[in-house]
Amino acid sequence: MAGGDDLKLLGTWASPFAIRVKFALALKGLTYEYAEEDLASKSDLLLSSNPVHKKIPVLIHNGLPVCESNVIVEYVDEVFAGPSILSADPYERAIARFWAAYVDDKLLASWATMLFRGKTEEEKSDGKKALFAALETLEGALVKCSDGKAFFGGASVGLVDLALGSQLSWLKAAEVMAGEKFIGGDNTPLLAAWMARFSELTVAKAELPDVDKVVEFAKMRQARMAAAAATAPNN
């Protein structure tokens, strides 16, 4: 860490958004204080640090808060020395930002619909279809972005790798809960190989949550949502 820098990360253990920030900090070799937030009873520090969205993650650097996971990752990349996460080339940076946004807008949204947001079996099924479609699109993106190298960032891990890699435990948990594989086979063999490579990275082994623990968490959340829906008044 640069001399005199004080870093504190507000997050939750299961959040892929907090996990990608942990990846970035680890890639840069930074030490930081981590504070686990209870989102049912948010701390005053979180509410004052992110008064607009009141969400995690928040990185507090020398008392100044930075919000939104991809914004934080880019901030960490710009401020601190170490392996570059974004290319120096403006066009390549723009492409990486596009696909990182796609990962959240399409991929995360689809498995979240399948597991949590879908209220009917049809909506959940639509979420699963959207998940397969998003993964196939990312298979093509990997071919273009990697230029035949190991990662979306090329020879080294980049922004898209962190965005997608932060969701691996959730994707694997979704596979366990659905009883089927989403990544691999004839449709996404390159993505499966990428997942295996990314999972072997030191930062991935250190920061990705245990899949069984995520499954347990997801089932508990589903049960709470079902209970809340059952007791909600009919309008």
Side-chain angles (χ1 to χ4, degrees):
M1 183 187 298
D5 285 308
D6 179 65
L7 290 169
K8 183 170 186 175
L9 176 63
L10 311 182
T12 59
W13 69 270
S15 166
F17 303 108
I19 292 166
R20 75 182 55 163
V21 175
K22 291 180 178 180
F23 284 162
L25 293 168
L27 284 172
K28 294 290 186 176
L30 301 170
T31 57
Y32 60 95
E33 178 186 353
Y34 175 71
E36 180 75 13
E37 283 285 335
D38 178 0
L39 298 185
S41 179
K42 297 174 182 178
S43 71
D44 290 340
L45 180 59
L46 173 58
L47 296 176
S48 63
S49 299
N50 190 359
V52 175
H53 298 300
K54 302 177 176 62
K55 294 181 178 180
I56 55 91
V58 176
L59 181 69
I60 303 174
H61 179 206
N62 290 337
L64 300 176
V66 185
C67 306
E68 300 294 316
S69 61
N70 287 336
V71 174
I72 298 172
V73 170
E74 290 200 40
Y75 176 82
V76 168
D77 194 35
E78 291 176 4
V79 172
F80 298 102
S84 295
I85 296 171
L86 277 158
S87 169
D89 180 79
Y91 180 75
E92 291 181 1
R93 287 202 305 272
I95 295 300
R97 290 177 180 128
F98 173 88
W99 286 113
Y102 180 90
V103 167
D104 289 341
D105 295 342
K106 299 297 183 181
L107 184 70
L108 187 150
S110 61
W111 62 252
T113 297
M114 191 180 74
L115 294 177
F116 305 118
R117 297 173 186 169
K119 295 181 180 179
T120 66
E121 289 304 315
E122 182 179 2
E123 289 177 345
K124 294 176 182 177
S125 177
D126 288 344
K128 185 187 293 187
K129 292 175 184 176
L131 175 59
F132 278 114
L135 288 169
E136 288 187 32
T137 299
L138 286 169
E139 176 87 356
L142 177 59
V143 173
K144 294 179 181 178
C145 294
S146 69
D147 194 27
K149 300 182 176 66
F151 300 103
F152 283 90
S156 60
V157 169
L159 180 66
V160 186
D161 297 286
L162 300 190
L164 181 56
S166 65
Q167 298 184 37
L168 287 183
S169 291
W170 275 102
L171 286 168
K172 292 176 182 178
E175 288 181 335
V176 172
M177 296 173 73
E180 61 181 300
K181 297 290 288 184
F182 297 135
I183 299 178
D186 294 335
N187 292 330
T188 52
L190 298 179
L191 208 55
W194 169 89
M195 182 173 69
R197 286 192 296 273
F198 189 91
S199 297
E200 287 302 310
L201 295 174
T202 300
V203 294
K205 290 181 178 179
E207 304 298 349
L208 281 174
D210 178 75
V211 174
D212 290 339
K213 188 177 178 182
V214 173
V215 170
E216 181 182 1
F217 175 81
K219 288 181 177 178
M220 290 176 60
R221 183 175 173 184
Q222 287 177 335
R224 287 197 301 269
M225 293 174 68
T231 57
N234 294 322
N235 294 324

